[in-house]
Amino acid sequence: MQILPPKTVGIAELNTAIAQKGYGMLSAASVAEWAGCALSELQALSPDWDNMPPDNYLKDGGRYRRRLHSSFVFEHNTLSQVPHRAHWQSLDYNALHGGMERWFEPMHKATVATPAWTKLLTALANTATQVRGTPSTKWCIEAHQFRIDTTDGIGRPTPEGAHRDGVDFVAVFMVNRTDIKGGETRVFEANGPQGERFTLSEPWSLMLLDDTRMIHESTPIQPLAEGGHRDTLVLTCRADKFQDAEPSA
């Protein structure tokens, strides 16, 4: 089974990669340095992906996705969790699940309370500001913990297909990849010919992309052994306000 690894860059090259290519990749060691924490602190979060509730909104009738969801605001160099809210996308960005309020269970309080969690989201907001923002930009961040499993023989990380999320930046952290094949990530320009494919496999490595410029998807996964699954943390970062069915204040 051939796995095509991503081409990672150093922290100093991340912003340039995003500006030039529309995305950049960091190894797990670089993610820890980027966030200003020990890699062991990030790895300590990984058990939180076990025993998550099912995603009951899958329109294809699948049982392969579990998730938790919480929302945060980074403003004036401070990260704050906002009251629990629905996840909403327009049909323009998600033809399968857009146009509907999806209420998922919130992330565990213990997860959000860890210093590593605050450092991780702060690093994302700071990078977003450096690439396209100002010191006064309010960054609205949605956090999605995903487990895609192979209970029914196949799991779909992106059932909506190739898409944009309708935000400024999307960060995809590979948390765990266990006893599966497939799950290849594909990113390509929304308005150009360039694209790349690779397989995220190193726990706590990162793909950070400019959602205004890039389309992304991940191919279905199949089991190599019973219990095969793929865990990711997806953080979306949007300036000024969250996506809502009604305008945010």
Side-chain angles (χ1 to χ4, degrees):
M1 179 182 61
Q2 183 180 13
I3 291 182
L4 188 64
K7 299 174 183 177
T8 59
V9 299
I11 297 172
E13 291 78 44
L14 179 61
N15 293 2
T16 300
I18 296 170
Q20 292 182 350
K21 296 174 53 180
Y23 62 98
M25 317 287 303
L26 294 180
S27 67
S30 293
V31 168
E33 184 181 351
W34 176 70
C37 65
L39 181 55
S40 59
E41 292 181 77
L42 297 176
Q43 293 167 337
L45 300 176
S46 301
D48 290 350
W49 273 254
D50 296 330
N51 305 311
M52 292 195 299
D55 181 339
N56 293 316
Y57 292 93
L58 290 170
K59 287 189 174 180
D60 63 4
R63 301 181 299 166
Y64 53 80
R65 185 157 76 181
R66 295 176 175 272
R67 71 193 294 179
L68 295 174
H69 168 253
S70 289
S71 300
F72 305 81
V73 164
F74 187 87
E75 190 174 22
H76 306 308
N77 205 35
T78 300
L79 181 73
S80 304
Q81 186 172 8
V82 303
H84 194 52
R85 53 187 298 282
H87 176 52
W88 188 89
Q89 292 175 295
S90 74
L91 288 166
D92 293 337
Y93 294 110
N94 191 330
L96 184 61
H97 297 117
M100 59 190 292
E101 287 192 341
R102 289 182 284 168
W103 287 92
F104 301 109
E105 291 295 315
M107 294 177 58
H108 301 313
K109 291 181 179 179
T111 304
V112 174
T114 62
W117 180 256
T118 298
K119 292 176 181 178
L120 199 65
L121 271 64
T122 296
L124 173 61
N126 286 336
T127 296
T129 294
Q130 292 160 12
V131 175
R132 188 172 58 247
T134 70
S136 61
T137 300
K138 171 184 174 182
W139 292 110
C140 298
I141 302 171
E142 292 192 57
H144 304 264
Q145 292 176 268
F146 286 108
R147 169 164 289 183
I148 307 299
D149 65 35
T150 53
T151 299
D152 295 327
I154 191 169
R156 295 178 174 83
T158 52
E160 64 271 43
H163 66 285
R164 289 165 52 209
D165 284 348
V167 296
D168 284 283
F169 299 98
V170 176
V172 180
F173 299 85
M174 170 53 61
V175 176
N176 197 5
R177 179 186 167 94
T178 303
D179 293 329
I180 59 168
K181 60 181 179 179
E184 181 181 86
T185 297
R186 298 171 180 175
V187 293
F188 47 95
E189 294 174 327
N191 298 300
Q194 300 301 317
E196 191 174 349
R197 61 184 182 88
F198 44 81
T199 301
L200 300 172
S201 59
E202 183 189 22
W204 289 102
S205 58
L206 165 67
M207 175 182 74
L208 179 55
L209 59 85
D210 183 341
D211 189 61
T212 67
R213 296 169 51 194
M214 307 302 294
I215 292 172
H216 66 282
E217 67 176 335
S218 295
T219 62
I221 62 171
Q222 293 177 283
L224 293 175
E226 186 175 354
H229 61 269
R230 180 181 188 265
D231 294 346
T232 56
L233 169 65
V234 176
L235 303 178
T236 64
C237 192
R238 191 171 192 257
D240 301 327
K241 63 181 183 180
F242 292 101
Q243 293 184 88
D244 281 312
E246 299 294 333
S248 298

